[in-house]
Every structure is written in structure tokens, then in C-alpha cells.
Amino acid sequence: SPPPDEPADEPEPEDILSAFSDDLDTDPQADLAELDDLGDLDDFDLDTAPTDDSTDDSGEDASADESAEFAYEEEAEDTLDEAAAPDEDDLSEEDVAEGDEFEDLDELGDIVGDDSFGSDFGDQIDEDFGDIDLDETDLNEDPLSGGGAESFDLPADDDIEDLENVDEFESFDDEGFSLGDFGEEFDINEESIDEFAGLETDTGDEGEGIEEVAGAGEGAPERELSDDEFHHVQQTLASLPLNVKIAAEEAIAESPGTAQQTNDLIDLLIGGASPAKIAHQLSQILSRKVEVPKGYQKRSGLAFEEEKETFSYRLRYVILPFLGRAALVLVATAIVGLLAHRLVYRPIYAAILYRQGYEQAQEERYERANDTFQRAYELRRRDEWFKRYAELYEDHRQYQLAVEKYDQLVFGMDPGVRAFLRGKAANNELIESVEGTDGRRRQVYDLLTVDEEAILDHGALQSETLANYRRADELYDILLFGDEYHYDALMARGANYMRWAEEDAQRYEDARQSYARLLARYGETDAILMQFLRYFTRIDNQTEVERLTSVFLNSPEAEVDPQIYANAAGYLLDKGRIADIREMLIQALQADNETPEIHYELARYNRRVNAPTEERAALNNAQEAFRRAEPLSPRRLHKRIDTDIRSGEYWYERDELLRATEEYTRAQNRYTQALEAGFLDPTAELARVFARQADIDYYHSGELDRALQRYNRAAADGFAPDELNYKRGFLHYRDERYDQAAEHLFDIGTSNDLVGPDTVLYARGNTLFQRQNYFGAQAFYREILDRLQSRRDQIRTLLVEEDPDHRALVENLIRVHNNLGVALYRAAVRGNPQDPDLSQALNHLRESTELRENYLRDDETGERAATTTLGFLNMREILYPNEQYEPQIFSELPRDMEQLEL
């Protein structure tokens, strides 16, 4: 029916779609049956059509306000394209479920048949479904719920022709629109589209049919079709390609052409004309080209539909293309997968494993770290990880693991191959030709991974840390095989020979030759001259050391090696030279203030010039610099231990015994650990730490037994100065081990036993006396007495109470006279017990008594001491023998050699 003058309010799109969705859930056959009862479409008024939901309790039509008139203005093809992809925001399952319902298909038919249907509904389809891309993957998706096609609940009819598997869908761009499998995927078929467009109704009862089909223009009479004619139109439309069918529906519904053109089109449809003729007629009516897909050009639509159902058609156009595409996808997937596995997965997973193993090594789980490294290596070799693992193992002092990693990088992962190549390198057989794993014969050198950085780092580890100088030399041979003037290799090799020469002095010449080759090739550079300075320092060539140091002192811009320069300063300091030492150390400090040797030598220099404040600061800096430089080479570790000992000595001299004990303990632990590990050999300079600890026991804590043990340990490692031997002798003498005491006391000084400090001679005399060697004791007592008497003769007036030296002189004369007298008495009695010559003995005892009586009186009263002198008691025993008493000597010994009083 024609649209009213003023259209009613248009219903919301979601209401229309909801009604449409609800109506689609009904049985189409039942709806068609109801259509017969409603009569002709011309007599049906949408505004008055009763529905179950349109009447409220008052009986008024509730849907009258919601009715709308539709204008079919958009092209059917564009509408269908856009309808294929509804916007989930505009049309959802909930919207469909909550929309108004149409009670039957007749009402839907009236709406569709209304001229106003096309405009608003097409716009709504454009809005709601326009985003769908007719993609093979999207065709299986429910545009409303996101699920499969089975969830899109459109009515189906068994008699509807299936549009499945139309392979001519691929010709969309060139040959017109073909929906292909889209209808099947969304459960839309030819008959459902007819219903949607309002072109089909059930024939209903006999004699009734559709009389009004289309107009031929404004005011043109409408053509009435009989039931048979309408049925033929339906059959022809069902057999047409979908694009032609939609164009035909558009031409009939909108009648854009003349009445004659429209009637000719209807006649073609009734007569079952070929799709090509119908398409030609539609092109004239619609003023645009309508093409028939290739699949329809050679046969009628019905024949094509029948052919589609055959197995051969499906095999040719569906199965085989699908299998071909599947095979192509499978091959492409396999290639991409293989490339991804080799170029993406393996490198990434290998990097993860390398890092995981590195973290395990940091946690000191070294065995697991190596296993993880092996797995990563099998995935992909990464040379930088060999070096990173080796450096980490060095930091953790796992030196053998570090060596293994360096060897794996250079000589290979296979243990057998690695051992073979290492043997060839050790024997300097790098030029020898051997057969590789690939069957080709190559030089041994070509089978190695010559990583210069790794070889130099490994050589430094072997030389500086492990003191394996021969192995380091083998590594440098690899670099020099490829370049005999390799600068870094020659420099490192010369340094290795210098360390090696500390065990084998002949290696100094090898070092000189290495430096000479550098000098001949690269000239007198500062770096090369520095190596010669180290060489001359080690071979004790003071003249050349002073010459080279003067060169650098006169060249402030010269680049000095701070370690070599500081060692040269220490060498000159040991030679007793003080001038220029500070300037040299300051110049080295300007080059690098992190070098521990600089601060170490500054501490030694400041002690030599008696600058305690500067010495303490230098010792603190040296300890911190050595700590930051760990792990230390044997030479540096030696200086680190000596620094701790010097720090302890500094605090001991200031009676800071706790601090001194702490420093000594730290030094002793480092020293003993280095000895146990074979990292250092026993040295007298470092063994003095035991003697310094023993001094605290000896002088302060009273732990004399422990002191003796520590003195013995120091002497065993080479530290046995006269002072230490005296203390050892004193401790043995104290415990009445006179034989051991004599052994240590007679080790002091030169081979002439009567030469030495007074305390030593006195200790020797007492020790011999206790061993009952009275004649030997007499010799030492007489020597001491002569020395003391000579000093006494040089003093005009003795000031015993004012001068400690004078008092010590008198005290010593008293002791020596007494001991000599007793020794003479014992010797006389042993020589002739019946008639001993006691005159000399009594004379010395008298001298001892008089000295005591005359010089050690009370200062204020002048009275003699209340105690009886030992000399007097000994004289009385000799003159008046008593079985309960025997003449005695002053048996106590001074604690050290510097003590004034005996």
C-alpha cells in the first residue's frame, strides 16, 4: 500500500530486529498457513493487525504508536554486505530477546512489502552489520552471539535450495556478487531471503494467490499474477545467482524502469529464462551492469544446483581445493616452524639457559650451572658466555672451573678433542696437519678458536693467580703463531717470564728478549720502557733503575705504569735512597690512585721518615685498595699480608693491644690459608706475624707457652732474628730446659760466642752454669765483668739515683761478681774437693757485697738495705759450710736483649 502522507514515528532498529528475530523462531509452514487466512496483502492494515502483545487490558491497540513505514531505498547488494557483520554494540542477543514480537509471518510480510521498509531497515542493517568482513573464518561466527552458525536461529525449509560450496564466490570482484557459503553458515537460504524480502507467501487455499506484484512507475497499473505464474517466478528466482536474484527483487520492488521493462522482466522470470537474459534485462532496468558468475554462464541455475550436489563437483571444487590449500598451509607452517625453531626458539631458549646457569653459578651451584651451560651450548654456541662464566668462577675463586671454561672456548667442548689439541699446543705443534671432524686435513692452529681476549685473560689467570707459568706461555704461543709481533701477547709473555724468574732466574733473559722484540718493532714507547724498568728492578741493576726513573721524573707528561713505578720506588727505598721516592709515588698516584702498591710503598716511606700520621693514612688506603683489587696475585697477596702486619705493629707501638691483635690475627689467617692452598711459600717477612703475636703473649698476657709455640713457628718459616732466638732461649731456660736454651742462645750473633750484647753473654754464662759447665760459665762472666769494669772506669762519679745507666752498671757488677765467685767455687770444689782454692771465689763475692753495701743505701738515711745480699750469704756458706745451703748465683735472665739490667 502507498505510504501515508505523514509517516508515524519510526520504531527503534533494535525493536525491529527483535521482532524479526522472534518471528524467525516460529515455524515457517505455520506462518504461511496463517497467511492464507489473512487474505490478500492489499487488504492487510499494519496499524490494525491484531497481535497477542498489541492489546492491553483496555483492548486498545498498543502497537499502533510503534508502527512505522519503511522506504526501500538502498541497494539490496550493499544491504546484504553490511548485514553480514552486525555491530555487537548495536545488536546483541539481549536486544533480540527483548524486542517486540511479530505474531506471524503475515505481519512480517506486510512490513517487508511496505515501501518504507527498505529505507530504515537498510540503514539499520548498514549500521548493525556493516562491519562484518566476509572472511572464511568469520562465516562460521554467529554475528549476534559470537558463536557458530547453529546459534543464529533463522527458519529453515526442507525445500529451500542449498547454496553451500559455491566456489564461484572467488569471482566476486570480477563477475558480480556471489554469496557462496555465506547463506549456509548463517542458516540463510533462498527461501528465507524471499520471505525476508516479502516476495513469497504460501499459496494457501486453492484459488487464492498474490495478485499485486509490482508497479511500472508512478501511477502505473499493477500487474496481477496467478498462483502458477507466481510459483514460476519463485522457481526462477531460486535458480538464479544470488547477485542476479537480489537485483531482480530490487527491480520488482522499486520499479526504477518503465512499466514495459518491468513486465518484460516478470515474463522472463515466469518463462524461466536463462540468467544471462535476466541479467541483461536487469542491467537496463537498474542502469548498472549485472553480471552472471562463470558457474552460471554455461548452464541453468537448476542444473547448476543439481550439479553441486554431485560428489565429482564437491571433489573438484571443494575437497581438492581444500586439500591443496591445507597442504600448502601445512608446508608453509612446517617451513615457518622450522625457521622459527632455528632462528627464534633455539637462540632465545639458549640465551635463557645461559643466563639461568650463570645465576646458578652466582649461587655457588657450580655443577648444576655447568649442566645448564651444556644444554644451552647444544642449542646455540655463544662465545661471550664462556668468558662470562670463566670470569665469574675467577671472582668466586673457582679457578679450575674458570680454566675449564677458557679451554672449552679455545680447544672445544669435546673432552677428547680438547685434550688432543691442548697436547699439540703444549708441544708447540700448532703447524702440524691433522684430520678434522669433517674429514679435511688442516693445521692444528686452524682447529682452535683463537679468541684473543679469552687467551690473554686465561694467560693472566695462569700466570698471576695460579703461578702456572709454563701453561701461560703455551697460551701466548697460540697468539704469536698467528702474529710473531703480537703486541699484547709479547707484553703478557714478558710479564709471565718475570714472574717465572722468581723461581727460575734463567727466565729473566727470556723476559728481556720479549721486551727487546717489542722495542725493535714498536720503538722506545713509555709502556715498553716501563717493562725494562721492572726488569732492571728485579735483576737488581740499581744503575739502570735510577737512569730510567730519572727519565720519567724529568718527563711529567710521560705515561707511567703505577704498579711498576711504585715497585721501583720500593726497590730504591730498600737500597737506602730517600730522595725522589715521594715524588715517584706521587707521580704514580696521579696515574691511578687505586693501585695498592702505591699506598703500600707510601706507608713504608712514611715509617722510614718517621711520619706516623701519614703512615697510618697510607696503611688504611693500602688495605682498602688491596680489598678492592681481590682476587690478588701471589705478589700482591704478599704485600697485603705485610700491610696488615705493619698496621698491627703501628698499634702495638702505641699500646693499642686489641687493635694490634686484630690486625695480627687477620694477617696470620691470610698467610696460613695461602700456605695451605699452595698459593704462597713460607717467607721470613710474613712469618714475623707469629713473632709479633708471641710478643703480646711474652710481654703482656703471660701466655709464655703459647709465646714459645709462636716463636718456634716463626723460626720454622724463616723468621729467626737474634732477638727471637734470645726469647726462645729465655723461655727454655725458664722451664729448666737448659740444653734447648743453650742451643738458641748460642745461635745469636757470629760464630764467636764471646761477641754480642751483655745480656746474651750473661744468659750464656748462666745457662752453662746450670748445665754444670762451670769453666765455660767463668769465661762469659769474665768477659762481661771486663766490659762493665771498663765502663765504670770511664765514669768519674756514679750517680746511681739519678742516672739509670749508672744504677744498671752497679747492679750488673753486683750480679756478675757474685756469679763469677760461685762459678769459681764450684769449679774449685769439683777440681779438688779436699783442698779447693777458694781465694778468687771469695774475692769476687766480697766485691759483690761491698758494691751492694756502698751504692745501694737508702737515699735519705744512708742506711744499708735491710735485706742480706746474696754475695754475703755465699761467703758465709763457703767460710762456714752448712748442709742446708749451697752458694747460689743470680739465676734470672733479662727478658730481652735490650734490657739494661742483667
Side-chain angles (χ1 to χ4, degrees):
S1 59
D5 297 335
E6 296 181 3
D9 293 339
E10 295 182 359
E12 293 295 330
E14 63 179 18
D15 295 337
I16 298 174
L17 292 176
S18 300
F20 179 52
S21 174
D22 293 341
D23 190 61
L24 291 177
D25 291 336
T26 61
D27 186 352
Q29 298 298 332
D31 292 336
L32 293 176
E34 292 181 6
L35 187 63
D36 295 337
D37 299 334
L38 294 177
D40 293 340
L41 294 175
D42 294 338
D43 300 330
F44 186 84
D45 188 358
L46 179 63
D47 296 337
T48 61
T51 64
D52 294 341
D53 298 334
S54 61
T55 305
D56 55 14
D57 294 340
S58 61
E60 296 178 358
D61 187 0
S63 62
D65 295 338
E66 298 179 359
S67 62
E69 297 188 14
F70 301 84
Y72 198 91
E73 298 175 353
E74 299 295 326
E75 293 181 3
E77 178 178 341
D78 296 337
T79 301
L80 186 58
D81 288 342
E82 297 174 2
D87 191 342
E88 292 185 3
D89 295 334
D90 297 331
L91 182 61
S92 64
E93 292 181 4
E94 183 176 352
D95 294 332
V96 174
E98 294 179 357
D100 294 338
E101 298 182 356
F102 288 99
E103 288 303 313
D104 51 42
L105 193 60
D106 294 311
E107 184 176 355
L108 177 62
D110 288 351
I111 293 176
V112 174
D114 197 298
D115 293 338
S116 64
F117 176 83
S119 175
D120 292 342
F121 188 74
D123 293 343
Q124 186 62 35
I125 292 297
D126 288 343
E127 180 180 352
D128 292 344
F129 297 93
D131 293 335
I132 283 188
D133 186 8
L134 293 182
D135 188 316
E136 289 186 7
T137 58
D138 294 334
L139 293 179
N140 294 326
E141 297 290 331
D142 184 349
L144 295 180
S145 63
E150 64 274 5
S151 63
F152 194 88
D153 192 15
L154 292 177
D157 194 300
D158 295 339
D159 297 331
I160 297 177
E161 289 292 331
D162 188 3
L163 296 180
E164 181 184 7
N165 298 326
V166 180
D167 68 314
E168 283 76 16
F169 179 68
E170 299 174 356
S171 62
F172 169 72
D173 293 334
D174 299 330
E175 301 171 5
F177 184 94
S178 177
L179 194 58
D181 295 338
F182 179 83
E184 178 183 354
E185 295 293 330
F186 285 88
D187 208 10
I188 299 176
N189 52 33
E190 300 289 345
E191 186 173 346
S192 63
I193 293 177
D194 290 345
E195 291 181 16
F196 178 83
L199 295 178
E200 180 194 7
T201 60
D202 193 3
T203 56
D205 298 334
E206 293 183 5
E208 294 183 12
I210 302 300
E211 298 177 352
E212 184 178 313
V213 176
E218 186 176 354
E222 297 178 348
R223 180 172 178 175
E224 296 183 357
L225 301 178
S226 66
D227 293 341
D228 291 339
E229 290 176 333
F230 186 74
H231 182 67
H232 288 307
V233 170
Q234 285 183 304
Q235 288 183 334
T236 304
L237 286 174
S239 66
L240 292 176
L242 188 59
N243 65 316
V244 179
K245 178 179 179 181
I246 293 175
E249 293 170 354
E250 179 184 351
I252 295 173
E254 296 184 4
S255 301
T258 63
Q260 185 60 41
Q261 288 177 332
T262 304
N263 287 330
D264 292 343
L265 173 61
I266 294 173
D267 289 340
L268 291 175
L269 294 174
I270 294 172
S274 66
K277 290 183 179 181
I278 296 174
H280 177 71
Q281 182 66 21
L282 289 172
S283 298
Q284 294 179 351
I285 295 174
L286 298 176
S287 299
R288 69 172 186 270
K289 187 176 182 179
V290 179
E291 295 183 346
V292 179
K294 291 182 179 180
Y296 283 89
Q297 290 177 355
K298 297 180 181 180
R299 62 186 67 84
S300 66
L302 292 177
F304 178 69
E305 292 297 328
E306 292 176 357
E307 183 182 356
K308 285 198 312 178
E309 299 299 327
T310 63
F311 175 77
S312 60
Y313 180 87
R314 291 179 179 272
L315 178 65
R316 179 180 177 185
Y317 293 103
V318 178
I319 299 176
L320 292 180
F322 173 79
L323 292 178
R325 287 193 296 270
L328 232 99
V329 170
L330 184 62
V331 172
T333 302
I335 295 174
V336 171
L338 181 61
L339 293 176
H341 182 267
R342 285 187 170 274
L343 303 180
V344 180
Y345 169 78
R346 289 172 65 93
I348 292 177
Y349 188 44
I352 293 173
L353 289 178
Y354 279 123
R355 195 171 301 278
Q356 180 180 344
Y358 189 82
E359 293 172 355
Q360 291 169 348
Q362 288 178 319
E363 297 170 358
E364 300 184 359
R365 296 184 292 169
Y366 305 116
E367 183 176 356
R368 179 170 294 183
N370 281 340
D371 292 341
T372 306
F373 182 92
Q374 178 67 32
R375 292 167 54 201
Y377 173 82
E378 292 172 355
L379 289 172
R380 185 169 185 178
R381 177 188 176 108
R382 298 287 296 274
D383 289 354
E384 63 271 17
W385 281 106
F386 286 89
K387 292 179 281 190
R388 292 187 63 183
Y389 273 69
E391 292 169 358
L392 177 63
Y393 288 145
E394 280 190 69
D395 294 339
H396 287 208
R397 299 189 179 182
Q398 300 295 317
Y399 300 119
Q400 293 308 315
L401 293 177
V403 169
E404 181 182 42
K405 277 291 167 283
Y406 283 128
D407 282 344
Q408 287 175 348
L409 172 59
V410 177
F411 300 105
M413 289 291 291
D414 184 83
V417 174
R418 186 164 64 248
F420 172 77
L421 295 178
R422 277 188 56 184
K424 292 296 183 181
N427 296 328
N428 199 19
E429 298 175 348
L430 297 176
I431 198 173
E432 182 178 338
S433 177
V434 297
E435 185 175 336
T437 56
D438 56 359
R440 297 169 52 194
R441 296 194 65 83
R442 291 181 290 178
Q443 287 184 343
V444 172
Y445 177 81
D446 295 332
L447 297 176
L448 307 180
T449 301
V450 184
D451 189 305
E452 294 186 7
E453 180 184 359
I455 292 175
L456 290 172
D457 291 343
H458 189 189
L461 170 64
Q462 293 287 353
S463 180
E464 297 178 12
T465 306
L466 301 180
N468 192 345
Y469 310 114
R470 189 176 302 277
R471 181 72 200 285
D473 191 53
E474 295 169 4
L475 292 169
Y476 299 136
D477 274 336
I478 296 175
L479 295 179
L480 293 171
F481 181 85
D483 179 7
E484 62 177 336
Y485 290 102
H486 193 290
Y487 182 85
D488 293 330
L490 284 174
M491 292 286 280
R493 191 175 206 178
N496 179 58
Y497 283 138
M498 292 296 295
R499 301 185 191 98
W500 198 349
E502 295 178 15
E503 300 178 2
D504 181 4
Q506 294 180 356
R507 297 298 175 178
Y508 281 123
E509 178 60 21
D510 295 330
R512 188 195 65 78
Q513 291 180 6
S514 296
Y515 297 144
R517 293 179 67 185
L518 285 167
L519 189 66
R521 181 64 178 268
Y522 300 101
E524 293 185 357
T525 65
D526 292 340
I528 296 175
L529 290 180
M530 271 289 156
Q531 301 306 317
F532 275 105
L533 178 60
R534 174 162 61 176
Y535 168 76
F536 290 127
T537 300
R538 294 286 183 82
I539 66 173
D540 194 17
N541 189 336
Q542 184 175 352
T543 303
E544 289 297 326
V545 170
E546 291 178 347
R547 184 182 67 82
L548 287 174
T549 53
S550 64
V551 170
F552 288 106
L553 282 171
N554 295 327
S555 303
E557 302 300 325
E559 295 183 3
V560 300
D561 185 306
Q563 183 177 358
I564 297 175
Y565 210 44
N567 289 335
Y571 167 79
L572 294 176
L573 187 63
D574 292 335
K575 293 296 182 180
R577 175 180 170 180
I578 302 298
D580 299 331
I581 298 300
R582 182 175 177 82
E583 288 73 12
M584 291 176 63
L585 294 175
I586 294 300
Q587 190 174 357
L589 198 63
Q590 292 173 348
D592 180 16
N593 60 0
E594 295 292 327
T595 302
E597 288 81 359
I598 302 174
H599 305 287
Y600 171 77
E601 299 299 345
L602 274 173
R604 295 180 61 218
Y605 170 80
N606 289 323
R607 174 173 287 193
R608 180 70 63 86
V609 298
N610 195 24
T613 303
E614 290 78 3
E615 178 191 5
R616 183 68 258 173
L619 288 172
N620 292 338
N621 292 336
Q623 288 177 320
E624 179 62 21
F626 279 122
R627 185 190 64 80
R628 289 195 298 265
E630 290 181 346
L632 304 176
S633 65
R635 181 174 291 273
R636 275 190 167 178
L637 181 59
H638 183 282
K639 293 182 178 180
R640 169 65 188 271
I641 297 172
D642 187 51
T643 301
D644 292 337
I645 298 173
R646 289 177 177 274
S647 181
E649 291 170 343
Y650 175 89
W651 293 120
Y652 182 81
E653 291 170 1
R654 287 153 184 80
D655 292 330
E656 295 282 352
L657 299 182
L658 292 178
R659 289 188 176 183
T661 300
E662 181 180 352
E663 297 288 358
Y664 288 148
T665 301
R666 184 184 299 113
Q668 177 191 330
N669 292 337
R670 287 198 173 97
Y671 178 59
T672 55
Q673 289 173 3
L675 292 179
E676 292 171 358
F679 202 58
L680 290 178
D681 294 327
T683 60
E685 185 178 15
L686 300 184
R688 81 180 190 277
V689 66
F690 298 108
R692 298 295 178 258
Q693 287 180 308
D695 285 344
I696 296 177
D697 298 329
Y698 186 79
Y699 291 110
H700 301 281
S701 68
E703 297 289 341
L704 299 182
D705 292 338
R706 186 170 63 186
L708 180 59
Q709 293 176 359
R710 287 174 167 170
Y711 284 136
N712 290 338
R713 173 63 190 275
D717 283 2
F719 184 74
D722 290 343
E723 183 184 42
L724 183 140
N725 279 326
Y726 179 85
K727 293 173 183 176
R728 294 168 75 195
F730 172 87
L731 292 172
H732 284 295
Y733 179 89
R734 172 183 171 274
D735 293 335
E736 299 181 0
R737 295 185 293 267
Y738 302 117
D739 292 340
Q740 293 91 326
E743 179 182 350
H744 296 306
L745 292 171
F746 281 90
D747 284 341
I748 299 172
T750 64
S751 58
N752 188 346
D753 296 332
L754 294 177
V755 175
D758 295 347
T759 52
V760 175
L761 299 182
Y762 183 77
R764 288 172 178 171
N766 277 14
T767 302
L768 293 177
F769 181 88
Q770 298 294 354
R771 297 177 66 189
Q772 300 181 6
N773 185 352
Y774 304 123
F775 292 100
Q778 291 177 38
F780 287 101
Y781 292 144
R782 291 184 186 279
E783 176 65 24
I784 299 172
L785 186 59
D786 290 343
R787 295 182 183 184
L788 296 174
Q789 193 62 49
S790 175
R791 294 176 199 154
R792 170 67 186 90
D793 294 340
Q794 295 175 8
I795 300 174
R796 177 176 297 180
T797 303
L798 285 171
L799 302 174
V800 177
E801 301 299 332
E802 298 176 7
D803 193 332
D805 290 339
H806 291 185
R807 185 177 183 87
L809 177 60
V810 172
E811 290 281 1
N812 292 342
L813 283 170
I814 292 171
R815 290 185 174 87
V816 173
H817 275 298
N818 177 80
N819 290 3
L820 179 56
V822 175
L824 290 169
Y825 167 75
R826 293 287 184 90
V829 171
R830 176 178 293 181
N832 188 359
Q834 300 301 324
D835 186 18
D837 184 3
L838 303 177
S839 58
Q840 294 186 21
L842 291 173
N843 185 49
H844 286 291
L845 291 174
R846 180 183 57 78
E847 288 290 336
S848 175
T849 303
E850 288 182 357
L851 287 170
R852 171 71 177 176
E853 297 261 340
N854 295 330
Y855 290 100
L856 299 180
R857 293 174 179 267
D858 187 272
D859 293 338
E860 296 180 358
T861 64
E863 295 180 355
R864 295 186 179 92
T867 59
T868 302
T869 64
L870 184 60
F872 176 78
L873 295 175
N874 289 333
M875 280 195 306
R876 188 176 66 180
E877 172 60 25
I878 294 172
L879 295 174
Y880 307 100
N882 185 350
E883 294 181 358
Q884 297 180 352
Y885 182 80
E886 186 175 0
Q888 301 292 320
I889 65 170
F890 287 96
S891 61
E892 291 294 328
L893 299 181
R895 278 186 172 266
D896 57 58
M897 295 172 55
E898 305 300 327
Q899 192 169 329
L900 292 176
E901 294 184 5
L902 300 176

